[in-house]
Amino acid sequence: MARLNDGETKTKILETLEEKDEVLEAAIDTWKYVLGYVEMAAVKCAIELGISEAMENHGRPITLSKLSSSLACSPSSLHRIMRLLVHQKLFKETITPEDHTKYYSLTPISRLLKNHGDHSMAALVLLETSPVMLAPWHALSGLVRDEGRPAFEATHGESLWEYNAKHPRHSKLFNDAMACNARIVLPVVLKGCAEVFEGVGTVVDVGGGNGSTIRTMIKAFPWIKGINFDLPHVVEVAPESEGVEHVGGSMLEFVPKADAAFVMNVLHDWGDEECITILRLCREAVPKDKGKVIMVDAVIKEEKHEIDDEKEEKLKGLRLMIDMVMMAHTTTGKERTQQEWEYVVAKAGFTKCIVKPIHAIPSIIIAYP
C-alpha cells in the first residue's frame, strides 16, 4: 500500500476537518427545527400572561420585579421567558448605566400581541397554537404518503367547518383570528383598490365571519351597503352594525345579490372544484355589465425572477408555510400561483382577471363577468 507524503497527509486532514465543520454547521441548523415549537410556545405564554398589556398599562419601561408583580407570576420563570423573547426581538431590553437595572419595553411586534385592540394578532396566535389546530400536523405525513384522509379529519373525525359548527368556543376563536388578520391587512387592500369601489352600492362579503371586514369597508366607503354572508351558526352571533345585513347560508349553494362580491382569505380553504363553484355563484350574484368579484388571497411566485427584494422573499416563505397550514387544516385547500388563479377564474366563467400585488402576504385579484 502506497504511503501518503506529508503534503498529502495534511491535505487529507484538512478535508476531514472541513467535512466535520460542515456536519457541525448542519447540526446547528437542524436544531432550529428540533426547537421550532419553542418560540411559538413562548409567544403564546406571553399572550396568555398579558405581558404586552401590563407593559402598556405601566406607561413606561418596566423592571422585571414590577412586571412579575403586576402579572402575579414567578420572577425567575418570567425572566427566562423574557430573556428568550428579548433575544428574538419581540421585546426590548435596556440597562441603566448607573445601577445596571434591566427595563423592558414594547416593540412593534409585541404591540400586536395584546389581547385586545384594532391591531391585535393575539387571536391568530392562540388559534394556531391551540391543541385542536396543532394535532392535525401529526397526521400530515399520512396524508402526503398516500393522499389519504385529510389531516384535520383524520385527527378529529370531521372537517374543520363541521368541528366549528359543533364547538362554539373554537368557532369564536377561529372567527376572531380571521377578523384580527383582516383588520390589519384590509386597510392596505382598500387603499390598493379604492377605485374599484367607485359607483358600487352594495357589497357582499362572502365568508365574512363576524362582519368586521364589511364594517371596516363601510367606514372607508360610507356609500356602500354591506351584506355579511357566512354559515348560519357564524352570522347568528355576529354583532349588529348599521349598514350591514347578516345573511346565513353556504357559499357552495348560493351567494346573495350585490353590485360586487368580496372574498378575503376564503378561496384558499378550498380545492379547485369548490373554488370554481364559489366563484361561479359570485359571478351570478353580481350584475353582468358592471359587476366585479374582488378576491384577497396569496399568490405564490415560483420563478426566481419574480422575487425582486428581501421583503418579497420573506413573503414567499410565509405564503409557502400558509400553504402547509391549508394542507393540515382543510380538506382540499391550497395556496395558488397566478396561473392557477387564472385557471379557476376562467373556469368560473369570468372574462377578465387582474392581479394586483400589495407587498403583503395576499394580493388583490379582481375578476369581471
Side-chain angles (χ1 to χ4, degrees), residues 173-205:
L173 178 59
F174 180 88
N175 286 303
D176 287 348
M178 298 304 102
C180 77
N181 179 56
R183 282 195 299 270
I184 290 175
V185 176
L186 189 59
V188 182
V189 170
L190 297 180
K191 182 180 178 182
C193 64
E195 71 283 354
V196 173
F197 294 95
E198 293 177 3
V200 172
T202 55
V203 174
V204 55
D205 185 9

Side-chain angles (χ1 to χ4, degrees), residues 21-157:
D21 285 343
E22 286 181 3
V23 172
L24 179 59
E25 284 300 314
I28 291 171
D29 288 339
T30 302
W31 272 103
K32 292 187 300 184
Y33 305 105
V34 174
L35 302 174
Y37 67 92
V38 173
E39 189 173 11
M40 172 187 71
V43 171
K44 179 180 183 178
C45 176
I47 292 171
E48 292 178 335
L49 290 174
I51 292 176
S52 293
E53 285 90 343
M55 288 186 179
E56 184 174 70
N57 291 339
H58 190 68
R60 59 187 184 278
I62 189 171
T63 63
L64 178 70
S65 174
K66 288 185 178 179
L67 183 60
S68 63
S69 177
S70 66
L71 298 174
C73 64
S74 162
S76 59
S77 295
L78 181 61
H79 163 68
R80 293 163 68 185
I81 291 288
M82 293 302 298
R83 183 169 58 186
L84 171 64
L85 295 179
V86 166
H87 179 75
Q88 299 301 98
K89 296 182 171 56
L90 271 75
F91 293 97
K92 184 179 178 182
E93 177 186 270
T94 54
I95 302 175
T96 57
E98 300 83 13
D99 56 5
H100 302 289
T101 302
K102 290 182 180 179
Y103 288 86
Y104 299 106
S105 55
L106 294 168
T107 66
I109 296 177
S110 52
R111 287 189 178 92
L112 301 182
L113 301 181
K114 295 183 294 182
N115 282 283
H116 303 287
D118 289 344
H119 295 146
S120 170
M121 291 187 71
L124 190 56
V125 175
L126 294 177
L127 172 70
E128 295 301 337
T129 57
S130 68
V132 172
M133 301 303 261
L134 287 176
W137 289 102
H138 296 285
L140 194 60
S141 58
L143 168 64
V144 175
R145 184 176 292 115
D146 57 10
E147 288 292 334
R149 202 175 182 191
F152 193 96
E153 199 174 300
T155 304
H156 298 294

